[in-house]
Amino acid sequence: MALTSVHSKFHHPGVSRVDYKTLHMDRVLTAFLARLWHRGLPSKLSRAGDLTVDDFVDLFLANPDVFEGFDRDTTTRWVNTHLMDLVNRGRGNEAVAGPRPLHGFTYRFRNSRKSRPYGADEQLYEMLAETPSALQELRSFFFSDVDRTTGAIKPGPDTDVETQALLHLVSKAYGKVEDRPDTSKPRRPYPLLCREPARLLAEDVMRLLYHQEHMPRTVLVEYLKILFAFHLALYHLRMIKLLPRAVAAGAVDTSCAGGHKGADAAHQCPYRVHLFVDVEGVPGIPAALLAEHSAGVWYGRIQRFVKATFEVKKLDEFAEHLMTKRRKLTAPQDRPYFSAAEVLTLLGKGYKSERDNFFDQRVNGVLDDETDPPAEVRQIADLGLSPFDEYIEMLLHYKGRYHRGYIVDCLDSLLLKNRPGALLAQPRGTRGERRFVLDARLLEILLQISLLRPGPDGNLSTSPMRIDEFLAVLRERYGLYVDQLPDSDGFTGADLDDQAALRANSTAFTHRLREIGYYQDMSDAYLTQTITPRYSMGTTAGAEVVR
């Protein structure tokens, strides 16, 4: 049976704005740029038809004043390989999603139906909105050549070739595309269930943008995409852990809602993520088996997260009923809607009678839609559960596996499974197990962020760091374990065999640092085993650090 719309609604924006589908970070970033320009709102574009590769090539060739010496064959290959994000690349149904998001206005050339962010752009924006200075730095970076008042574009002398081409493309098409904020979809800034992921995201973005004068724009944009995916993945892993516990307790930990304080704030959160990561990258070895176990624990929690999400969403519908139909509940003063934490209070004894009546009607609605309920549904009805629990179990019977499958796909894509910057790997072409890994690209990004530290005056500068200090940063800030096993999330301690695997993983970590150019063996002395920054930056360069 297909549930009717009144029963099938699943997402609550206070938990996540992401519509759990496979995400592509080029398309997420492209849609995010529109929100960045329109102060949190999506864009509404007026343009005749979808754009093809030939349309972009024609625009280049039609403007020889800025695209001198371009021929069709070379330009077509360059646009295909360097400038465009293509759907179904290399197949018969290949189509343009949009230009690579190297500049803020590239969102004006996207084909919306082929470039869907599935809400991840909104989730990113609302997390970063907790730290307005981070949004401002991103806006300055992506729209650095744009006059905010007039929209005029003036490429700088140091702009790379790809970005120059896209800027000229925007200039030549200026006025041919109507771009305005979509006010039919106003912002709804829900209070975060835990503020820690948003704080960490903003800090890391600010520190990465500190490098913008020291690395090519194309590289920095690629790093930002990986960093966004990394933090969105950590956020959703935290929600997978937090939400079921919050529903069971009927409340969210007050320290999470208010924001953890102090230098070790990330370590204080009771819902922080602990992942053991395989560095060597060889399936079947002891460290890889530990990483498989770690991934299995987290993916095994998804079904409970599906149930908790259904519970929060249906409590939100109950709150709406109490407010609009029964006049027994009022919305918060600052907004006409309820946060996920607020609807959990409706699990209290004071609402039992109203709750039972409301969900008893919902249960009857599900049964009325089914002329011959399956045996599983009849068994649920015979368990003697409360109307609310009975309704949730029925929804899980009909939709639980469906939503779990899409959440797995979404999480795989955010963890960049088997891709550059990956935090997750799975053998291809087999039914091999997923395992957490630490890809060299992600490691390099985290190194550049971590080696940039505030000095006594509060400004940032690069400085060497011992390997053991960096491993501690990975554990305490991000929950990534290399040389130790976590003390929770599926682990209780290391036995003798585990110790050997941890030593091998630590050795592989040192080799990986050497491969990417951050570490050289200068001495056998432990205190001289330091990681050296790739870029040397003083206290006066770049952006101001978030505190």
Side-chain angles (χ1 to χ4, degrees):
M1 182 194 80
L3 291 176
T4 57
S5 60
V6 70
H7 303 298
S8 60
K9 293 179 181 177
F10 175 71
H11 298 87
H12 189 286
V15 177
S16 175
R17 291 167 172 80
V18 176
D19 181 13
Y20 302 113
K21 300 284 194 307
T22 299
L23 298 170
H24 298 270
M25 291 311 297
D26 271 325
R27 296 158 208 177
V28 171
L29 181 54
T30 297
F32 173 77
L33 294 176
R35 291 185 181 273
L36 205 56
W37 182 252
H38 292 304
R39 307 292 182 181
L41 297 178
S43 67
K44 192 169 186 178
L45 299 173
S46 296
R47 190 183 63 220
D50 283 354
L51 296 172
T52 66
V53 170
D54 287 339
D55 290 327
F56 287 99
V57 173
D58 290 343
L59 190 54
F60 282 122
L61 300 180
N63 294 278
D65 54 323
V66 291
F67 301 114
E68 183 180 356
F70 279 49
D71 68 85
R72 179 166 292 276
D73 182 59
T74 304
T75 303
T76 300
R77 283 186 282 129
W78 181 58
V79 169
N80 256 303
T81 57
H82 286 78
L83 289 188
M84 293 297 124
D85 169 28
L86 300 180
V87 178
N88 302 318
R89 185 183 288 272
R91 301 178 186 174
N93 57 346
E94 179 181 275
V96 172
R100 291 175 60 202
L102 297 176
H103 186 271
F105 279 147
T106 52
Y107 74 84
R108 292 179 174 176
F109 294 92
R110 77 187 188 278
N111 292 324
S112 299
R113 290 177 296 177
K114 303 292 185 183
S115 183
R116 293 178 177 171
Y118 295 112
D121 58 320
E122 186 179 5
Q123 181 67 33
L124 263 179
Y125 189 91
E126 296 301 337
M127 289 176 69
L128 287 165
E130 293 285 307
T131 309
S133 55
L135 284 177
Q136 182 55 47
E137 288 297 330
L138 283 166
R139 194 176 292 116
S140 298
F141 171 68
F142 280 106
F143 296 94
S144 57
D145 302 307
V146 181
D147 186 298
R148 179 77 202 184
T149 304
T150 64
I153 300 170
K154 296 181 179 179
D158 298 325
T159 307
D160 57 83
V161 174
E162 288 88 353
T163 307
Q164 286 268 10
L166 291 173
L167 285 175
H168 287 308
L169 204 64
V170 172
S171 299
K172 292 301 179 182
Y174 189 77
K176 298 179 182 179
V177 179
E178 184 181 351
D179 172 30
R180 61 185 186 277
D182 189 353
T183 55
S184 68
K185 301 175 181 178
R187 281 186 64 200
R188 283 195 160 196
Y190 284 82
L192 296 174
L193 284 171
C194 184
R195 297 180 182 277
E196 187 63 19
R199 184 185 70 83
L200 291 176
L201 169 63
E203 286 187 357
D204 282 2
V205 166
M206 294 284 277
R207 293 190 183 195
L208 191 57
L209 288 176
Y210 209 87
H211 295 78
Q212 60 187 282
E213 302 298 329
H214 300 267
M215 66 174 65
R217 185 185 187 90
T218 53
V219 174
L220 183 53
V221 170
E222 192 65 28
Y223 283 2
L224 281 170
K225 288 188 296 185
I226 293 172
L227 186 67
F228 286 160
F230 174 69
H231 277 284
L232 283 173
L234 292 185
Y235 171 82
H236 285 92
L237 288 174
R238 192 179 299 239
M239 291 300 105
I240 285 172
K241 185 176 182 179
L242 181 155
L243 199 64
R245 295 188 187 181
V247 171
V252 179
D253 191 286
T254 54
S255 65
C256 285
H260 306 290
K261 309 295 182 183
D264 61 341
H267 192 67
Q268 297 172 8
C269 181
Y271 307 112
R272 65 189 300 262
V273 173
H274 305 83
L275 313 175
F276 181 80
V277 295
D278 165 36
V279 180
E280 192 167 350
V282 179
I285 64 174
L289 295 177
L290 291 172
E292 285 179 10
H293 174 71
S294 186
V297 168
W298 283 96
Y299 275 77
R301 290 171 167 166
I302 292 177
Q303 188 63 27
R304 293 194 295 275
F305 175 70
V306 171
K307 180 181 179 181
T309 303
F310 260 132
E311 289 171 318
V312 169
K313 179 59 180 176
K314 300 311 168 184
L315 287 171
D316 185 60
E317 294 171 2
F318 176 46
E320 185 72 17
H321 168 78
L322 290 179
M323 182 176 66
T324 59
K325 301 292 180 62
R326 303 289 293 164
R327 309 293 183 187
K328 291 189 175 183
L329 194 66
T330 57
Q333 293 183 351
D334 58 337
R335 49 190 155 79
Y337 51 89
F338 298 92
S339 70
E342 288 161 350
V343 301
L344 291 179
T345 62
L346 300 180
L347 290 170
K349 294 181 179 179
Y351 295 97
K352 184 180 186 307
S353 177
E354 291 281 357
R355 188 172 65 243
D356 287 350
N357 290 335
F358 178 80
F359 288 107
D360 191 52
Q361 293 178 18
R362 289 292 184 92
V363 168
N364 291 332
V366 172
L367 295 175
D368 290 344
D369 289 341
E370 186 75 275
T371 55
D372 185 21
E376 294 86 352
V377 173
R378 292 196 298 270
Q379 290 173 0
I380 292 170
D382 292 338
L383 289 175
L385 302 173
S386 69
F388 175 65
D389 291 333
E390 183 178 353
Y391 180 57
I392 296 299
E393 291 299 331
M394 288 181 174
L395 296 181
L396 287 173
H397 167 74
Y398 286 112
K399 284 290 188 179
R401 183 177 297 178
Y402 169 87
H403 287 299
R404 184 190 182 279
Y406 276 112
I407 291 173
V408 167
D409 291 343
C410 181
L411 200 55
D412 281 354
S413 62
L414 287 176
L415 292 166
L416 300 178
K417 186 177 76 172
N418 297 338
R419 301 182 63 188
L423 193 58
L424 187 75
Q426 186 177 23
R428 299 178 187 272
T430 69
R431 299 179 63 86
E433 297 293 330
R434 292 173 175 84
R435 72 184 188 280
F436 290 124
V437 296
L438 187 57
D439 180 78
R441 188 77 58 87
L442 176 59
L443 175 59
E444 186 172 342
I445 294 167
L446 298 181
L447 277 165
Q448 290 176 352
I449 290 169
S450 302
L451 294 176
L452 195 60
R453 292 181 281 183
D457 58 356
N459 291 320
L460 291 174
S461 61
T462 51
S463 60
M465 180 184 290
R466 292 203 317 268
I467 291 179
D468 63 307
E469 291 178 323
F470 180 59
L471 288 170
V473 170
L474 292 180
R475 289 193 303 270
E476 295 167 9
R477 184 173 179 84
Y478 305 109
L480 306 183
Y481 286 72
V482 174
D483 62 331
Q484 300 178 16
L485 289 183
D487 55 5
S488 61
D489 291 334
F491 294 96
T492 56
D495 58 24
L496 192 60
D497 291 337
D498 294 335
Q499 294 291 352
L502 294 174
R503 286 194 297 272
N505 210 39
S506 299
T507 301
F509 182 77
T510 303
H511 290 332
R512 183 63 54 83
L513 290 175
R514 187 182 296 109
E515 288 170 0
I516 62 177
Y518 279 84
Y519 172 72
Q520 292 182 344
D521 292 320
M522 302 297 293
S523 167
D524 291 334
Y526 177 72
L527 293 179
T528 64
Q529 295 180 355
T530 58
I531 303 168
T532 305
R534 178 168 296 173
Y535 306 102
S536 179
M537 288 178 280
T539 58
T540 58
E544 185 179 350
V545 65
V546 180
R547 299 186 191 177

